[in-house]
Amino acid sequence: MRLGLVLAGGGANGAFEAGVVAAIEEAGLRPTVLSGTSAGALNVAGLAHGLRARDLIAAWEEIRAGDVYRLRRDLWRALRPGGWLRGRGLAGRALEGVGWTWLLETTPLRETLLEVIGAEVLDVPDDLAVSISAVEKPTGDLVRFTNRLPPGHRRSPSYREVDLGVEHLLASAAIPLAFRPAEHAGTRWWDGGLVANTPLAPAMAHEPDAVIVVTTATRQRPAPHLESLADAIGLLIDNLLGHSLAADLKQARLVNELCRLDGTRTDRKEVDLLVVEPTGLDLGGPLDFSADLARRRVELGREVGAREVARWLG
């Protein structure tokens, strides 16, 4: 069985994915088609480079906020006095008067990735197909960085065959407004979660027999009580991720249904899907890298992953 693994974005909640990866390993499964965005891209890259679940777990449990981001230091650019003259209305003037277009510097993340992975460029085995999704900021186009292009009939201009490395991970993890846009190949990049936070399409394009999709957003939960701007941003991200997952799964299930109805199709095949999600669980904010919460996320991922994988295999 050729198995695909899709890991979604979600900031610090990537620790939940590491727990699920541990459950997948313990079940004796080895995915050979890997696709990830943002935090999921970091986990996918680690697996592609030869790290085991225990290595990912150790990294997530040790990482703190200061290892990922720091506040901008160019405070003199925070205000644009001229903007107060051009904006219309109080709200318009206030927004035009802010000179920052992003809040957090991610230089620490680059250093952390180099320490965890141990190289600028990933050493990907020949039998793995790996895709990292990011958005090209100037055009808004979704780009799939990959070490191996999918078959010709499943290929699109969005795929770019490259030697995957740390720069592609930074591009995929550059959360708009929160993080500084990543710079690579002469352009700027934003988090792939803007368009495809659960990048199922690249995995499906490589025509696996089955795919395990791990998301950090739950599609079934009441909206939590908001007490801060951080809470509001976290809920916004969670909602975006949940809707992205629902759209991707709808497309994949539609293709499966078409394959079932028309057994003569040779350009598509039915793919067995397992979705592992933290339904009903509170994983905490995507920018909260506290140690206790990281351990709790890992254990939740291992517990939910083991249960869902066992049910799926059974």
Side-chain angles (χ1 to χ4, degrees), residues 85-233:
L85 301 177
R86 288 191 292 272
R88 292 187 177 183
L90 180 60
R93 288 195 295 270
L95 292 173
E96 288 288 346
V98 178
W100 284 357
T101 57
W102 48 272
L103 296 175
L104 304 171
E105 173 66 62
T106 54
T107 300
L109 177 58
R110 189 179 197 284
E111 297 169 355
T112 298
L113 289 173
L114 287 173
E115 181 179 348
V116 172
I117 296 174
E120 288 268 4
V121 178
L122 304 181
D123 184 14
V124 182
D126 293 337
D127 66 335
L128 294 187
V130 185
S131 296
I132 304 297
S133 297
V135 171
E136 193 173 40
K137 183 185 174 186
T139 63
D141 291 339
L142 177 63
V143 175
R144 318 285 198 176
F145 296 114
T146 183
N147 68 313
R148 180 185 302 171
L149 294 173
H153 65 281
R154 300 298 298 268
R155 203 174 297 170
S156 73
S158 66
Y159 290 96
R160 297 188 188 179
E161 190 171 15
V162 298
D163 292 325
L164 293 169
V166 168
E167 301 307 323
H168 303 105
L169 302 182
L170 292 172
S172 183
I175 303 172
L177 302 184
F179 290 170
R180 178 179 186 172
E183 296 187 14
H184 173 66
T187 190
R188 291 191 168 192
W189 301 88
W190 268 340
D191 191 326
L194 274 177
V195 180
N197 188 66
T198 311
L200 181 56
M204 299 288 278
H206 283 280
E207 302 182 333
D209 301 300
V211 176
I212 298 176
V213 180
V214 185
T215 177
T216 59
T218 173
R219 292 174 292 165
Q220 300 176 15
R221 52 102 176 93
H225 177 65
L226 304 180
E227 297 182 348
S228 67
L229 179 59
D231 288 345
I233 292 174

Side-chain angles (χ1 to χ4, degrees), residues 71-80 97-103:
L71 187 65
R72 293 180 63 164
R73 295 172 180 170
D74 55 343
L75 297 178
W76 61 90
R77 294 180 179 173
L79 297 178
R80 294 176 63 241
V98 178
W100 284 357
T101 57
W102 48 272
L103 296 175

Side-chain angles (χ1 to χ4, degrees), residues 60-61 63-64 288-296:
W60 283 107
E61 290 184 345
I63 288 174
R64 299 295 172 264
D288 187 343
F289 289 87
S290 60
D292 290 343
L293 192 51
R295 287 191 289 270
R296 178 169 168 268

